[in-house]
Amino acid sequence: MTVYRKISLLMLAVFLLIYLLGALFYIQQARHDVQRELDGVAGLAQSLESPDGLPESVVSGMRHLTPAGDTGTEVSRDVPAWFSALIAREFHRPVVNGWQVDPADEVEEIWEGFLLVSGAYAIGTCLCFLALFVMVRRGMRTLASLSEAMGAISAGQLTSRLPRQQEQELDSLICRFNSMAEALQSEQQTVSRLLNELLRLQDREREHIARVLHDDLGQYLTGIRAQARSLLYDPGLNDRQKKQASDLAENCETIQRHFRHLLQDLHPLVMEQLGLGSAIRHLTEQWQQLSGLECRLAMDDRLPEFTGEQQTHLYRFLQEALNNVSRHANASCATLAVALNATELSIEVRDDGVGNDCLPDNAGLGVRSMRERARCLGGEVKFFSRMGEGTRIRLAVPLSRLCPIPGSIV
């Protein structure tokens, strides 16, 4: 039940109670007035002659007095019988000097007054309910706006604000909501800055570790492998020792192969050397080798120019999306599409896996990092997934946020 209905029913009960109490007091007062009027009329009848000795016009014009035995003067048919009985049923109607005391005229006047008072009360009640409706509707309109704004806040639109209100109570509520929204927006901005800085620091540390490993450990592995290969041609070694040297060289080659995959995960050097397009192609090839799944790549040859940070965010976004496919989708094939139109760069990753009806509500750290990288790119990421129908991830980045040099090619 709505608040308006509850208030209306409560007010209706109060008005009915007041009306019944007023009617009770009115009837009691009317009975007292009728009794007093009848006593006065009885005294008047004693001073009058018998109705037989008076002209007919005088007899018919008498109020509250009728000739004894005359049944032609009943209570007006406009007065309900129950009301007449309620007012005058207990009164004694004496016969005085040939006149019978009759309260019919007085009861009719009381009934007319009762109708006027009831009508005025009904009009006042309707006006009160009309004023209540107007005020409650205005308040409910404000509450509905507040509910919509809170829904927008829960959906992440922290810029929602409500206008001030004239009513003090509603204005106080609106001010508190706006203050809460501003605080949440400020906290979100702070968290976003911290996450952005964390991602930057993470990428810099990955780049630093990759370079150190490539320049130091990679050189050592290459040297060990070369020395092991040279031992194969040493005439002073027997066959057993040469077999050990050959195994050592093969092990070094295996370590180097995994080492290159590790360096690619830490920091894709191919992106610095050949650009983002080549890095994406290399990412899909490497993902197919490691996951054993098919990846179909459809990418425009022309891509907008990115800053180094934007390239890293986009590459990590695609890397996380493909890793989620291999880890959680239970898919046999993935599709990666990178398309450029006049207004935006569109990226879509799709798989034919099991899907998830709760995505992205039950998102883990990987999906959160994808959202944050999309925000850093100035774009919007959407997740579409249904059980048994696979998952589709779409990233749309406006070119105005990406292209410091429009028309440049990566």
Side-chain angles (χ1 to χ4, degrees):
M1 183 179 293
T2 63
V3 176
Y4 174 70
R5 289 185 178 179
K6 290 182 179 179
I7 296 176
S8 298
L9 291 177
L10 179 61
M11 289 188 61
L12 181 61
V14 172
F15 278 119
L16 287 176
L17 179 61
I18 295 175
Y19 180 77
L20 292 176
L21 292 175
L24 179 62
F25 292 145
Y26 183 85
I27 291 173
Q28 291 295 333
Q29 183 63 37
R31 291 168 63 86
H32 177 72
D33 292 342
V34 169
Q35 182 63 55
R36 187 173 55 185
E37 186 72 19
L38 294 181
D39 292 342
V41 170
L44 176 63
Q46 293 178 355
S47 63
L48 293 176
E49 296 182 8
S50 173
D52 295 334
L54 294 175
E56 181 65 24
S57 59
V58 175
V59 174
S60 62
M62 298 296 292
R63 287 176 54 82
H64 311 315
L65 290 175
T66 59
D70 187 359
T71 59
T73 56
E74 299 292 338
V75 177
S76 173
R77 286 181 293 180
D78 294 336
V79 181
W82 63 268
F83 187 81
S84 178
L86 186 64
I87 297 296
R89 66 181 176 181
E90 297 179 359
F91 293 138
H92 177 60
R93 302 182 183 185
V95 177
V96 180
N97 198 15
W99 296 94
Q100 184 174 18
V101 178
D102 187 3
D105 294 336
E106 187 68 17
V107 172
E108 185 175 1
E109 291 179 0
I110 293 173
W111 172 249
E112 291 175 355
F114 182 77
L115 290 180
L116 290 175
V117 172
S118 299
Y121 190 82
I123 293 174
T125 301
C126 292
L127 292 177
C128 289
F129 274 97
L130 179 61
L132 174 66
F133 174 76
V134 173
M135 295 304 297
V136 171
R137 184 178 180 182
R138 184 171 182 176
M140 294 303 295
R141 187 183 299 115
T142 302
L143 293 179
S145 299
L146 179 61
S147 177
E148 292 178 0
M150 293 181 69
I153 291 291
S154 65
Q157 302 175 9
L158 300 184
T159 57
S160 298
R161 299 293 186 273
L162 293 176
R164 301 287 297 270
Q165 299 294 317
Q166 296 179 355
E167 293 77 10
Q168 182 178 358
E169 294 80 2
L170 293 177
D171 186 67
S172 176
L173 182 63
I174 294 303
C175 289
R176 289 181 179 273
F177 170 80
N178 290 337
S179 299
M180 178 198 70
E182 291 175 359
L184 288 175
Q185 185 178 15
S186 177
E187 288 298 322
Q188 185 195 48
Q189 291 173 352
T190 301
V191 171
S192 296
R193 286 195 298 268
L194 291 176
L195 287 176
N196 194 15
E197 290 298 326
L198 180 62
L199 291 175
R200 289 180 181 178
L201 179 61
Q202 182 185 44
D203 292 333
R204 285 197 298 266
E205 287 298 318
R206 283 181 170 182
E207 181 181 359
H208 174 70
I209 293 173
R211 291 188 182 280
V212 171
L213 291 177
H214 179 270
D215 296 340
D216 295 341
L217 185 58
Q219 299 300 325
Y220 284 121
L221 285 174
T222 302
I224 293 173
R225 181 186 176 189
Q227 291 181 0
R229 290 290 184 185
S230 65
L231 291 176
L232 297 177
Y233 305 99
D234 188 348
L237 299 179
N238 55 34
D239 294 340
R240 179 175 175 275
Q241 291 172 332
K242 290 182 179 180
K243 180 65 170 59
Q244 291 177 343
S246 176
D247 293 341
L248 179 60
E250 291 179 359
N251 290 334
C252 286
E253 184 176 357
T254 302
I255 293 175
Q256 283 184 314
R257 185 169 58 254
H258 290 287
F259 185 68
R260 284 192 295 269
H261 292 319
L262 176 62
L263 292 180
Q264 183 67 23
D265 287 337
L266 288 173
H267 182 67
L269 297 178
V270 66
M271 187 166 61
E272 294 182 357
Q273 300 170 356
L274 302 178
L276 180 62
S278 298
I280 293 176
R281 294 186 182 91
H282 186 269
L283 173 64
T284 57
E285 294 172 358
Q286 181 183 5
W287 183 81
Q288 289 184 102
Q289 294 176 0
L290 296 177
S291 65
L293 305 177
E294 180 185 2
C295 183
R296 301 168 184 171
L297 175 63
M299 183 171 58
D300 287 348
D301 295 332
R302 296 176 60 88
L303 294 178
E305 183 173 338
F306 299 90
T307 64
E309 182 178 340
Q310 289 174 338
Q311 286 186 2
T312 301
H313 284 313
L314 188 55
Y315 181 86
R316 295 299 181 193
F317 180 92
L318 297 176
Q319 187 179 45
E320 186 63 39
L322 291 176
N323 287 339
N324 285 339
V325 173
S326 60
R327 294 172 184 171
H328 310 295
N330 193 21
S332 61
C333 178
T335 302
L336 172 59
V338 182
L340 179 68
N341 57 37
T343 59
E344 68 179 16
L345 176 68
S346 175
I347 298 175
E348 184 172 290
V349 181
R350 183 194 299 264
D351 65 68
D352 60 353
V354 295
N356 188 347
D357 291 334
C358 299
L359 191 71
D361 295 335
N362 60 347
L365 183 60
V367 174
R368 293 191 181 96
S369 67
M370 292 171 64
R371 282 178 165 174
E372 183 58 27
R373 293 190 183 277
R375 190 197 64 80
C376 294
L377 289 168
E380 181 182 9
V381 59
K382 294 182 179 180
F383 299 86
F384 307 92
S385 182
R386 293 188 63 181
M387 190 67 67
E389 298 183 8
T391 301
R392 180 166 61 94
I393 303 173
R394 185 180 186 276
L395 172 65
V397 184
L399 294 183
S400 58
R401 305 293 299 273
L402 278 183
C403 303
I405 307 176
S408 298
I409 303 175
V410 177

